[in-house]
Amino acid sequence: MRRKTRIKTIVGLITPLMLLVISHAFAMEYHHGEEALEKTLYKEQFSPYVSRNYPTKVLWGDQHLHTQISVDAGTMCRLGQEDAYRFARGEEVTATTGVRAKLGRPLDWLVISDHAEMYGLMPKLLSGDPNVLANKQGKRWYKALKSGDKKKMFATAMEIVAALNKPDPPFDTKNIVRNAWREYTALADKYNEPGRFSAIIGYEYTTRGGYNLHRNVLFRGDASVANQTLPFSQFDSQNPEDLWKALDKFEKQTGADVLAIPHNGNLSNGLMFSVETNDRKPYTRELAALRARMEPLAEVTQIKGDGESHPFLSPNDEFADYETWDDANLDGTEVKKKEMLQYEYARSALKIGMQLEKKLGVNPFKFGMAGGTDAHTALSAVEEENFFGKHSGVEPSTKRWEHVVIKSSMDDKLTTLGWQQAAGGRTAVWATENTREAIFDAMVRKETYATTGSRMLVRLFGGWEFTKEDALSRLPAEIGYDKGVPMGGDLYSAPAGKSPTFLVVAMKDPYGGNLDRIQIIKGWMDTEGKTHEQVYDVVWGGDRKPDAKGKLPLVGNTVDVKNATWTNTIGAPELITAWTDPEFDPKQRAFYYARVIEIPTPRWTAYEAKRYGVQMPKKVPMITQERAYTSPIWYNPGS
């Protein structure tokens, strides 16, 4: 008993002594410097994901979709905005033509961008709403559409669509617009589910008719924010510059955040990226700055053709002629002239932007890349094997490949047929989380890329310190953000003797084709103000080698058109490299973006031919090479 008591007494004496020694040791460590202690603790962290605060999620969406709420879509489409949300979230719906429809993979976010002009009129008109029928014009339209006379119904539908191109609405629709807008914003809030699905509120400003100077307007906030305004339409102004001013005023008055995304420059006949204002005057610094702020992105690929570049503008680019629509403007009322093309395509606009920046001190065309469908079916369905078309008149059928998509009033040769539709596109956003706010913020940062429909994963970083060893990492973003800037970013004043290096990585769509190659497209301006471009193949699949002229052989083709199949026996499932510009001049402005090309796979027309047993003419393309375009990284010689 005495021995146990003695031991307890010793322990009781030693324990406080030990605590004193330990406390003193920690105190001494503290006095030796907090930095040493922090380093010791940091080394004890095991997980490489601790404190990671950069965007790690690629979120797939469509910022350009129409339902029956849009006047033009509503003449044919019978699906509403709730149908569009349900479909985008992965649910099964029945299309206007009675065909059941479902996505192979749900979207992460969606913008229903119904036209601002006479927003919500068609459902009211078709249902015989008393307020619409009280108007003489509305009553006449209603009777014609309900007559059962197909010729009269079609003529009336065209008359209603034509009303979109007039300076004033056919009758007062303000109350209809206000009520339909509030119903939509409430529905968007209902379907918005942070962490799972973001229903971003938006609309389309539609102006200049066949010249397609259209913009999708997106709100960062919820219904309480969007309801403080109504969609700005061409009935307010046919000048896109007035849209920017109205959005700027709205932001200042409410503290809200909005942005606009122009689309289909390829159909604007030289107006979308013109160096002149709407009034044919030179750009001012103030207007250039306003456009750059309000339009951080441009839609460069969709159903109505691809708008990255054109073979006339980029004759040395073997991949420039992709899903090209270049016969005329949107409605075929003016034939396209070659001198118009430079003001229509994204790559050319990026080059023109550098020239304007030298002149004005601001680059109005400093935009990132976005994709969209512009489908008027309420179905954001652009998978090649699951393509539902531009409008409800060209949904899947045995004959849709030869149906008229857009009718020219001037020349039948300019009429667009069903097979000319492109099954595209998608916008990929690198965000911290799936919320409206995080997605909107990523768009403002331009940390986005466009694809023609494929869901390949792509990242691009630019900096001065990347090495070949960085391409060995399985966490390239960790290195990318640490050493450089992501797509949409800027590099300034090159360090002495340094050239920019770009860390670029791509992984195939799990359900798509292997990757053919990654290219870096460089545009620059020389000391005389002239612009140039160069396409570099920086990494590719297989054991191909460039020839004496630097041209990389084609990847090959495994497509079985008859059976609409292919094999991933060529190309590569993933590609990564650190590429340094071999011809860099630190005094010259430049931009760089990545283009990722897949191996050939069946086009939607091949799936259609197999599904319906159709023998299509030889002029109809049956094979495609899906691709992605990242937002650029800009180099600025000034500090």
Side-chain angles (χ1 to χ4, degrees):
M1 291 294 293
R2 289 182 179 179
R3 185 178 180 183
K4 290 182 180 179
T5 303
R6 193 177 298 115
I7 291 173
K8 288 182 180 179
T9 302
I10 294 172
V11 170
L13 291 173
I14 292 177
T15 302
L17 182 61
M18 290 178 65
L19 289 173
L20 181 61
V21 171
I22 293 171
S23 298
H24 179 70
F26 271 97
M28 291 298 292
E29 182 68 26
Y30 177 84
H31 288 300
H32 283 142
E34 286 184 270
E35 185 177 352
L37 180 57
E38 287 175 357
K39 287 182 178 179
T40 300
L41 293 175
Y42 178 77
K43 288 179 180 178
E44 292 175 358
Q45 298 291 351
F46 173 78
S47 174
Y49 312 111
V50 170
S51 301
R52 186 170 64 174
N53 59 2
Y54 55 78
T56 59
K57 300 179 184 294
V58 61
L59 301 174
W60 293 97
D62 185 358
Q63 46 76 41
H64 195 176
L65 180 69
H66 297 271
T67 72
Q68 65 177 351
I69 293 297
S70 291
V71 167
D72 55 354
T75 60
M76 290 181 283
C77 178
R78 295 297 173 262
L79 270 64
Q81 293 169 331
E82 189 156 15
D83 296 306
Y85 281 135
R86 290 179 52 235
F87 182 79
R89 286 166 58 103
E91 296 181 41
E92 183 179 298
V93 302
T94 300
T96 296
T97 53
V99 178
R100 290 188 298 173
K102 186 177 181 178
L103 280 177
R105 286 169 286 178
L107 296 180
D108 297 307
W109 57 272
L110 177 68
V111 182
I112 297 178
S113 57
D114 281 310
H115 294 297
E117 293 71 24
M118 296 184 286
Y119 190 97
L121 172 64
M122 288 307 296
K124 296 291 184 182
L125 177 63
L126 293 171
S127 67
D129 183 272
N131 294 320
V132 176
L133 299 187
N135 180 276
K136 184 178 179 180
Q137 179 75 293
K139 188 173 183 179
R140 184 175 69 82
W141 282 351
Y142 174 76
K143 285 185 175 181
L145 292 173
K146 293 294 184 178
S147 67
D149 184 329
K150 290 186 177 180
K151 288 186 177 180
K152 183 182 290 187
M153 292 169 66
F154 179 78
T156 302
M158 293 301 98
E159 180 184 341
I160 295 171
V161 172
L164 292 173
N165 298 324
K166 296 180 179 180
D168 298 301
F171 55 90
D172 187 2
T173 60
K174 284 186 178 178
N175 286 334
I176 293 174
V177 171
R178 180 180 296 105
N179 292 336
W181 178 246
R182 290 180 177 175
E183 288 174 6
Y184 162 56
T185 60
L187 191 67
D189 280 2
K190 172 185 174 182
Y191 276 90
N192 188 64
E193 189 177 345
R196 180 191 171 195
F197 182 83
S198 293
I200 299 172
I201 295 172
Y203 65 86
E204 179 176 328
Y205 165 72
T206 310
T207 189
R208 297 296 296 273
Y211 295 95
N212 213 92
L213 297 182
H214 305 177
R215 269 83 175 167
N216 297 331
V217 177
L218 279 60
F219 293 77
R220 186 176 187 269
D222 59 12
S224 67
V225 172
N227 286 345
Q228 295 180 58
T229 188
L230 290 176
F232 187 94
S233 81
Q234 69 158 339
F235 300 139
D236 296 302
S237 173
Q238 292 188 318
N239 185 349
E241 296 153 28
D242 290 333
L243 169 69
W244 306 332
K245 293 173 184 177
L247 296 179
D248 180 55
K249 182 179 179 180
F250 173 73
E251 285 190 330
K252 290 175 179 175
Q253 288 180 339
T254 65
D257 294 297
V258 292
L259 61 81
I261 303 176
H263 59 267
N264 279 120
N266 62 316
L267 299 176
S268 71
N269 275 22
L271 296 180
M272 181 61 79
F273 301 113
S274 172
V275 295
E276 296 179 326
T277 68
N278 190 71
D279 298 327
R280 303 286 183 174
K281 297 179 180 179
Y283 256 88
T284 64
R285 178 186 175 89
E286 292 73 24
L287 187 63
L290 181 61
R291 178 169 186 165
R293 186 169 67 82
M294 298 312 307
E295 298 189 352
L297 303 178
E299 182 181 290
V300 297
T301 190
Q302 62 137 263
I303 290 174
K304 299 200 303 291
D306 192 78
E308 185 235 352
S309 195
H310 187 280
F312 175 76
L313 302 172
S314 305
N316 297 321
D317 182 355
E318 62 184 314
F319 292 99
D321 192 10
Y322 180 78
E323 298 290 356
T324 304
W325 286 30
D326 61 356
D327 291 331
N329 60 347
L330 176 61
D331 57 5
T333 55
E334 183 183 40
V335 176
K336 186 85 67 185
K337 298 177 182 178
K338 288 184 177 179
E339 58 265 28
M340 298 173 177
L341 296 172
Q342 63 181 313
Y343 305 113
E344 298 187 349
Y345 286 81
R347 190 187 305 176
S348 179
L350 292 169
K351 292 194 291 185
I352 293 171
M354 293 189 296
Q355 293 175 319
L356 289 173
E357 185 172 17
K358 180 180 179 181
K359 179 180 178 181
L360 303 172
V362 178
N363 184 348
F365 305 145
K366 194 174 182 180
F367 54 77
M369 306 294 198
T373 63
D374 194 16
H376 283 52
T377 60
L379 305 174
S380 182
V382 295
E383 299 148 317
E384 299 290 337
E385 76 280 11
N386 192 37
F387 177 49
F388 269 77
K390 166 65 180 171
H391 56 69
S392 296
V394 285
E395 290 183 1
S397 72
T398 58
K399 293 287 188 178
R400 76 153 157 178
W401 66 271
E402 61 181 352
H403 283 180
V404 172
V405 178
I406 299 174
K407 175 69 175 176
S408 171
S409 59
M410 183 177 65
D411 186 346
D412 284 343
K413 292 181 179 179
L414 302 178
T415 294
T416 305
L417 299 180
W419 64 265
Q420 293 173 286
Q421 301 172 92
R426 289 277 181 250
T427 300
V429 173
W430 282 105
T432 54
E433 59 184 354
N434 189 348
T435 63
R436 286 166 166 167
E437 296 79 10
I439 293 170
F440 187 98
D441 293 346
M443 290 181 175
V444 172
R445 296 193 310 270
K446 309 178 184 71
E447 205 163 348
T448 66
Y449 61 98
T451 82
T452 55
S454 172
R455 298 199 192 185
M456 62 184 86
L457 184 125
V458 186
R459 300 207 85 148
L460 173 69
F461 298 92
W464 308 105
E465 304 296 336
F466 292 121
T467 65
K468 293 295 182 182
E469 288 71 28
D470 291 333
L472 301 176
S473 172
R474 300 308 299 174
L475 294 174
E478 187 81 25
I479 297 170
Y481 286 105
D482 182 51
K483 288 186 174 183
V485 298
M487 59 183 82
D490 290 270
L491 297 174
Y492 296 94
S493 297
K498 290 281 189 178
S499 295
T501 298
F502 297 88
L503 181 63
V504 59
V505 57
M507 297 180 68
K508 70 180 289 293
D509 181 330
Y511 298 99
N514 272 348
L515 305 179
D516 170 359
R517 67 188 75 189
I518 298 178
Q519 300 174 311
I520 296 292
I521 285 82
K522 176 188 177 182
W524 73 95
M525 185 174 67
D526 63 27
T527 54
E528 295 180 355
K530 295 181 180 179
T531 60
H532 311 268
E533 67 176 63
Q534 180 70 44
V535 179
Y536 294 93
D537 294 312
V538 298
V539 63
W540 51 87
D543 57 359
R544 294 172 287 166
K545 294 181 180 180
D547 63 19
K549 295 183 179 180
K551 180 178 172 57
L552 183 69
L554 296 176
V555 71
N557 183 4
T558 67
V559 176
D560 178 348
V561 173
K562 182 180 178 181
N563 293 302
T565 59
W566 82 97
T567 62
N568 277 326
T569 53
I570 56 176
E574 64 176 62
L575 295 170
I576 184 171
T577 192
W579 174 82
T580 302
D581 182 357
E583 299 178 351
F584 177 67
D585 186 332
K587 297 179 181 179
Q588 297 177 347
R589 295 183 187 277
F591 64 80
Y592 304 80
Y593 66 90
R595 181 172 65 184
V596 185
I597 309 286
E598 283 187 4
I599 66 170
T601 52
R603 192 173 182 265
W604 71 267
T605 43
Y607 287 104
E608 202 99 319
K610 179 190 176 185
R611 184 175 291 124
Y612 294 117
V614 175
Q615 183 66 42
M616 294 190 184
K618 291 183 179 180
K619 66 180 179 180
V620 177
M622 307 294 275
I623 296 172
T624 186
Q625 278 192 270
E626 302 268 21
R627 55 203 62 198
Y629 312 119
T630 72
S631 293
I633 293 173
W634 288 266
Y635 169 69
N636 307 278
S639 61

